Amino acid sequence: MHAFPHSTTATRTAVVVPPSLALPVIESAFPRRLHPYWPRLQEKTRVWLLEKRLMPADKVQEYADGLCYTDLMAGYYLGAPDEVLQAIADYSAWFFVWDDRHDRYVVHGRAGDWRRLRHRLHAALDAPRHHLHHPDPLLAAFADSVLRLYGFLPRTWNQRFARHFHAVIEAYDREFRNRVQGYVPGVEEYLALRRHTFAHWIWTDLLEPSAGYELPAFVRKNPAYRRAALLSQEFAAWYNDLCSLPKEIAGDEVHNLGISLILHEGLTLEESVDEVRRRVEECISEFLQVEQDALRFADSLADGTLRGKELSAAVHACVGNMRNWFSAVYWFHHESGRYMVDTWDDRSTPPYVTNEAAGE
């Protein structure tokens, strides 16, 4: 079924969503929009990947646009200044490359390389300026993207972002050990870990520089705001699990909600797919309810003062972009070559990575 008339890639091919993955409510209630800067964003991120040597030139030429990393961010952080969106998109592209490096280290059993990378990422996060010229391109590019993100909001935001990403690095370490040991976490353990490996609070933090405003703690901790943020991220993580289950089973993965349900809840593959889909649909339904509470909270912040007006507008922008995340994630999974496993020569090895992981 042709669920969306055109891809955002240059080829403008029709997007076909398999019935098992189609979500009519996303297609009808979450209109898709792209930041007007998107074409330039795609071009500049492609150049950045080359300049930072994050992917071989032939891989960039053949695969970068088709992976749609910039489409994902351009569909999420609407209203962001161009410079902010560019920094976020480059950081996002780096994140995917890091995820691929992590995967190759697992596949090749390179525990020492992973341990060194983990420690260096922690160091670069705290002192990015000192790692801009690191010989490992992954670390140098990370330092560059983090340093740019640190330039938009006050130091308190930077510290929060760093704290959240330190937790992401440690979650990736836990996943590394789980995969090497063949350990499949239980459902609740997996869900807690997934909130970090998917970087829920990083993508939520980045709503603030997109809105040009650091939100005070009482706003971020407001139940409606926090729940809306969490639901948008849970949807993304679980829909990702639903779409990537074939790829991850082919690659002997152990980190997927569907796999945890099969092993620990005794579900069949078909039943686990149905259960993940049910959870995804519940996220959407609950978001549509709590979104209204979050918007009413945003309205209440406009107290007649200039600060109140600005804060209210910023919260409205952040909640609006939480909504955009649903459509951005949905279409990304059906346009990006990252999930087109059936077109790969080797279903366990993505064609856009070098099988021998780069590094030290």
Side-chain angles (χ1 to χ4, degrees), residues 162-212:
R163 185 170 67 252
H164 286 158
F165 200 75
H166 281 305
V168 170
I169 296 168
E170 287 306 292
Y172 264 72
D173 183 56
R174 178 71 260 177
E175 180 178 328
F176 183 94
R177 286 180 281 133
N178 286 349
R179 290 180 62 188
V180 167
Q181 296 165 9
Y183 172 74
V184 179
V187 173
E188 292 308 314
E189 179 187 356
Y190 171 78
L191 293 177
L193 184 62
R194 185 66 162 139
R195 289 179 184 128
H196 291 299
T197 57
F198 200 83
H200 282 23
W201 301 116
I202 290 294
W203 308 118
T204 301
D205 287 338
L206 289 168
L207 292 168
E208 295 172 49
S210 298

Side-chain angles (χ1 to χ4, degrees), residues 108-240:
H108 294 289
R110 297 173 67 169
D113 287 340
W114 166 249
R115 183 174 60 252
R116 283 187 288 275
L117 178 59
R118 169 192 166 206
H119 292 315
R120 289 168 180 171
L121 284 170
H122 281 304
L125 185 58
D126 289 332
R129 198 175 300 279
H130 299 311
H131 292 77
L132 289 172
H133 304 291
H134 195 282
D136 183 347
L138 193 74
L139 282 154
F142 177 63
D144 176 78
S145 62
V146 167
L147 193 62
R148 287 155 63 197
L149 292 174
Y150 282 177
F152 299 123
L153 291 177
R155 189 164 177 262
T156 45
W157 183 91
N158 298 346
Q159 291 171 331
R160 172 161 40 102
F161 179 92
R163 185 170 67 252
H164 286 158
F165 200 75
H166 281 305
V168 170
I169 296 168
E170 287 306 292
Y172 264 72
D173 183 56
R174 178 71 260 177
E175 180 178 328
F176 183 94
R177 286 180 281 133
N178 286 349
R179 290 180 62 188
V180 167
Q181 296 165 9
Y183 172 74
V184 179
V187 173
E188 292 308 314
E189 179 187 356
Y190 171 78
L191 293 177
L193 184 62
R194 185 66 162 139
R195 289 179 184 128
H196 291 299
T197 57
F198 200 83
H200 282 23
W201 301 116
I202 290 294
W203 308 118
T204 301
D205 287 338
L206 289 168
L207 292 168
E208 295 172 49
S210 298
Y213 201 103
E214 181 186 17
L215 298 181
F218 85 89
V219 170
R220 291 183 282 108
K221 294 178 180 179
N222 173 270
Y225 181 90
R226 189 169 180 83
R227 186 64 182 163
L230 179 62
L231 286 166
S232 72
Q233 295 298 323
E234 297 280 57
F235 164 80
W238 299 348
Y239 192 67
N240 174 268

Side-chain angles (χ1 to χ4, degrees), residues 175 184-187 190-191 194 237-249 253-264 272-273 276:
E175 180 178 328
V184 179
V187 173
Y190 171 78
L191 293 177
R194 185 66 162 139
W238 299 348
Y239 192 67
N240 174 268
D241 280 5
L242 188 63
C243 294
S244 61
L245 187 57
K247 173 171 76 84
E248 294 181 344
I249 288 177
E253 255 280 17
V254 298
H255 267 246
N256 186 292
L257 178 55
I259 294 172
S260 290
L261 287 165
I262 291 169
L263 187 66
H264 294 284
S272 73
V273 168
V276 176

Side-chain angles (χ1 to χ4, degrees), residues 41-58:
L41 182 73
Q42 184 183 57
E43 176 188 338
K44 292 190 73 172
T45 294
R46 190 190 319 124
V47 169
W48 187 78
L49 287 167
L50 284 169
E51 288 179 347
K52 297 302 177 183
R53 297 180 294 123
L54 279 176
M55 294 171 66
D58 61 329

